[in-house]
Amino acid sequence: MSGNIELLSAALAATKAEGRSALIAYLPAGFPSVDGGIDAVKAAFDGGADIVEVGLPYSDPVLDGPVIQTADDIALKSGLKIADVMRTVREAFEATGKPVLVMTYWNPVDRYGVERFTAELAEAGGAGCILPDLPVQESALWREHAAKHDLATVFVVAPSSKDARLKEITTVGSGFVYAASLMGVTGTRESVGEAAEDLVRRTKATTDLPVCVGLGVSNAEQAAEVAQFADGVIVGSAFVKLMLDAEDEAAGVEAVRRLAGELARGVRTRAS
């Protein structure tokens, strides 16, 4: 079975045609349980997310702040396996028909086997992978297998990236470009910052790929702000915090659905 890079591209083209940014939600697999995590992904889609990133929990996450690290620890201590991540992708895709990606650090993929990982992700209906710590110059093997299975390879760029480096990254990436809005780790913030808009502008000068902004967006107002200049708005920690703070899984899932609805209205602000 082929992966769903075309579905991802079509979703981003559709939101662009509507004159708005895509809403991209991030939720870790296996949190608060495997079934609860699947329900949360479905709820994000039900609330209005166009795309969901399923996080593969990892013990040494360099990009993730304390909220996501806490959720990852819960998932890992419960015995989460890569098979559970694939199941999350499969069930979310089969239930919604919408693009689901995996966000993962490189070490788990390398240990699992690139061919095995890409084949299973494609078979599950996945649209691709976001690989925040895989250097472009070391990505040939991954990209070969991802292309073979019709999976997107999404790289992360940061405000510190020089223009030449941006071009190097965007030339070999596919699906979209993940623009980290600021230096540091994931987490909600009072302001997304002007650095994000400058980074999107510089990145767009190097590629026709959509450029989506993550790190720091937590509410409808911030989503509307980022939607003025980005092709997609990525929200993760705000969803995860709601689930951490919820009294039970059902309440957490409902909170995810509600926030997705608020954010979906936010990204549509510029279209109104």
Side-chain angles (χ1 to χ4, degrees):
M1 179 176 174
S2 295
N4 274 312
I5 186 174
E6 291 186 4
L7 181 65
L8 174 65
S9 297
L12 289 163
T15 57
K16 182 177 181 180
E18 292 176 23
R20 67 172 177 91
S21 285
L23 174 59
I24 304 175
Y26 167 93
L27 290 155
F31 170 75
S33 64
V34 175
D35 288 341
I38 292 168
D39 288 343
V41 173
K42 292 178 183 177
F45 277 128
D46 288 345
D50 301 289
I51 299 162
V52 170
E53 304 170 9
V54 171
L56 194 163
Y58 182 52
S59 57
D60 187 25
V62 296
L63 188 69
D64 297 321
V67 169
I68 291 175
Q69 284 187 34
T70 299
D72 283 0
D73 286 345
I74 291 169
L76 291 169
K77 287 175 181 175
S78 297
L80 182 85
K81 306 296 184 187
I82 287 181
D84 298 316
V85 178
M86 299 299 179
R87 179 187 156 208
T88 301
V89 172
R90 178 181 294 105
E91 294 194 16
F93 169 66
E94 289 178 348
T96 66
K98 293 183 178 179
V100 184
L101 300 103
V102 168
M103 185 166 188
T104 179
Y105 295 95
W106 179 244
N107 185 262
V109 177
D110 191 38
R111 290 176 60 187
Y112 196 71
V114 176
E115 168 60 22
R116 181 184 178 194
F117 190 94
T118 52
E120 291 183 6
L121 181 56
E123 190 276 331
C129 248
I130 302 165
L131 299 154
D133 66 339
L134 177 62
V136 168
Q137 60 269 28
E138 298 174 19
S139 67
L141 178 65
W142 165 267
R143 289 186 286 112
E144 174 191 343
H145 287 289
K148 173 182 171 183
H149 292 290
D150 294 323
L151 296 168
T153 298
V154 179
F155 289 113
V156 178
V157 298
S160 59
S161 302
K162 305 298 184 186
D163 290 351
R165 176 68 172 161
L166 290 175
K167 186 168 182 59
E168 180 184 8
I169 293 170
T170 59
T171 297
V172 297
S174 57
F176 63 91
V177 181
Y178 187 126
S181 65
L182 34 72
M183 300 302 293
V185 298
T186 59
T188 62
R189 289 173 172 81
E190 293 299 316
S191 173
V192 179
E194 295 179 3
E197 186 168 3
D198 179 64
L199 177 59
V200 169
R201 178 188 58 77
R202 292 193 298 117
T203 304
K204 282 181 169 292
T206 72
T207 184
D208 290 329
L209 288 173
V211 181
C212 304
V213 170
L215 273 67
V217 178
S218 61
N219 57 50
E221 292 73 22
Q222 290 174 337
E225 174 193 344
V226 174
Q228 302 303 315
F229 56 83
D231 298 301
V233 179
I234 303 168
V235 181
S237 295
F239 284 116
V240 178
K241 188 174 189 306
L242 287 175
M243 297 194 70
L244 281 169
D245 292 345
E247 61 184 26
D248 55 36
E249 284 192 9
V253 168
E254 183 53 40
V256 166
R257 181 181 289 106
R258 188 166 56 250
L259 178 59
E262 294 169 5
L263 294 165
R265 287 189 289 276
V267 299
R268 286 167 171 79
T269 298
R270 71 172 183 176
S272 60

